[in-house]
Amino acid sequence: MKDILKAPFIVEMVRTTTNMYNHGWDERNGGNISLRVDESEIKEYVDIDKVIRTIPTGFDAPELAGMYFVVTGTGKYFKNVQYDPEINLGIIKITADGKNAQLLWGYEDGGQFTSELPAHLMSHMARLRIDSENRVVMHCHPANLLAMTYVHDLNEKAFTRTLWQMCTECIVVFPDGVNVLPWMLCGTNEIGKATAKKMETSRLVVWAQHGIYGAGKDLDETFGLIETAEKAAEIYLKIAHLPLVNTITDDNMHQLEERFNVKARDGYLD
């Protein structure tokens, strides 16, 4: 077997969690990531027939049966992932009935996957129905997006349009917009189901007064989605109290659609 700590998917998870912590998005043990990895990649580094233990997922995910995921651990601090990946990360396989996860590597201190795993699995299923290449679900607490939910209308069209107007690149990076959930109790299947439903129409779902869920094809894309929305929220908070003299107009955004071959969410532009 090859050295698991040199596996590209582990290296990228370590880099991403460290970067997210350094951005201030994942204080203490806030935030979690799940990355779907093909069996062909996994078996170069892990004996896929050697199950360390089986852990109930708390949710039935038959559509994900047999799939492998690298998942951050519950109660783990992102700042520590780079120092002890074997403790803070785990590789799991969803069982045939979709109700359990077989631990193949990681969580060496006896821990397990994030308590938000059911929400992650629901979002993975929702995104896979839209785009089979989606592999990542990422949750974190970016301060500016979080702050924006206290002072901005939570209407999804209004929220999206504000972000689009803050940075030229926004409509190019997330033309599907941003969906928003009102405050809900975290760590429950109810918020997981609501998030997954929102994931059917957007790769970004804001949890009001809490944080954001992002989905994408790889860790870079998903990080970039959140990073771009967070930058836009930062600009909004810097100018929201000032008289608006200039803005990015709908005509400007239609030009961006044409230039970058993207299509804004239906009904969001005049």
Side-chain angles (χ1 to χ4, degrees):
M1 292 289 175
K2 297 180 181 178
D3 182 357
I4 183 67
L5 297 183
K6 294 181 180 179
F9 48 86
I10 295 295
V11 171
E12 285 304 311
M13 280 287 281
V14 170
R15 288 175 177 170
T16 301
T17 50
T18 301
N19 204 9
M20 291 172 73
Y21 176 77
N22 289 338
H23 270 61
W25 296 354
D26 297 273
E27 72 291 337
R28 199 172 181 271
N29 63 320
N32 28 76
I33 305 176
S34 56
L35 165 66
R36 182 168 58 87
V37 184
D38 291 338
E39 181 178 290
S40 59
E41 300 173 82
I42 292 285
K43 65 183 183 181
E44 291 187 45
Y45 302 92
V46 173
D47 183 351
I48 60 175
D49 296 318
K50 184 178 180 181
V51 177
I52 298 171
R53 49 194 162 98
T54 299
I55 311 169
T57 61
F59 173 70
D60 292 355
E63 294 175 51
L64 304 178
M67 294 187 183
Y68 298 81
F69 296 88
V70 184
V71 188
T72 52
T74 185
K76 303 304 182 186
Y77 292 32
F78 273 24
K79 72 182 182 67
N80 293 332
V81 176
Q82 61 183 315
Y83 306 113
D84 292 300
E86 307 94 326
I87 291 176
N88 295 286
L89 302 175
I91 297 175
I92 62 172
K93 178 183 180 180
I94 305 300
T95 54
D97 60 6
K99 297 180 179 180
N100 298 283
Q102 296 174 331
L103 178 63
L104 304 178
W105 174 85
Y107 309 141
E108 289 190 356
D109 61 350
Q112 64 179 50
F113 42 72
T114 172
S115 61
E116 298 282 1
L117 184 66
H120 279 248
L121 297 181
M122 293 178 206
S123 289
H124 275 289
M125 290 193 297
R127 289 307 308 169
L128 280 169
R129 296 185 198 115
I130 305 301
D131 185 346
S132 62
E133 294 186 13
N134 273 210
R135 292 176 173 270
V136 175
V137 172
M138 182 181 292
H139 171 57
C140 56
H141 308 150
N144 293 292
L145 279 166
L146 198 162
M148 189 172 165
T149 66
Y150 284 88
V151 298
H152 194 284
D153 186 340
L154 297 183
N155 173 275
E156 291 169 342
K157 179 178 178 179
F159 204 94
T160 293
R161 284 178 57 86
T162 292
L163 294 177
W164 281 352
Q165 289 169 346
M166 294 302 104
C167 302
T168 296
E169 66 178 346
C170 284
I171 197 170
V172 178
V173 174
F174 51 96
D176 48 349
V178 175
N179 283 338
V180 184
L181 285 175
W183 188 92
M184 296 178 69
L185 183 63
C186 58
T188 66
N189 283 2
E190 286 69 30
I191 196 170
K193 292 174 184 177
T195 302
K197 183 65 178 175
K198 295 291 187 182
M199 280 283 180
E200 293 176 1
T201 52
S202 174
R203 293 164 296 157
L204 290 171
V205 181
V206 171
W207 286 6
Q209 294 85 50
H210 184 140
I212 193 168
Y213 257 67
K217 297 179 181 180
D218 54 39
L219 291 165
D220 275 352
E221 179 187 69
T222 312
F223 182 94
L225 280 170
I226 296 173
E227 185 177 36
T228 305
E230 170 67 355
K231 181 65 172 288
E234 180 183 3
I235 294 170
Y236 168 74
L237 292 174
K238 287 182 176 180
I239 67 169
H241 64 292
L242 300 171
L244 192 65
V245 177
N246 302 299
T247 190
I248 300 172
T249 67
D250 282 22
D251 283 344
N252 296 151
M253 286 190 268
H254 283 307
Q255 293 177 48
L256 290 166
E257 285 182 297
E258 184 175 354
R259 173 65 179 83
F260 291 97
N261 193 30
V262 297
K263 178 67 174 70
R265 188 162 171 174
D266 287 344
Y268 275 38
L269 294 179
D270 294 333

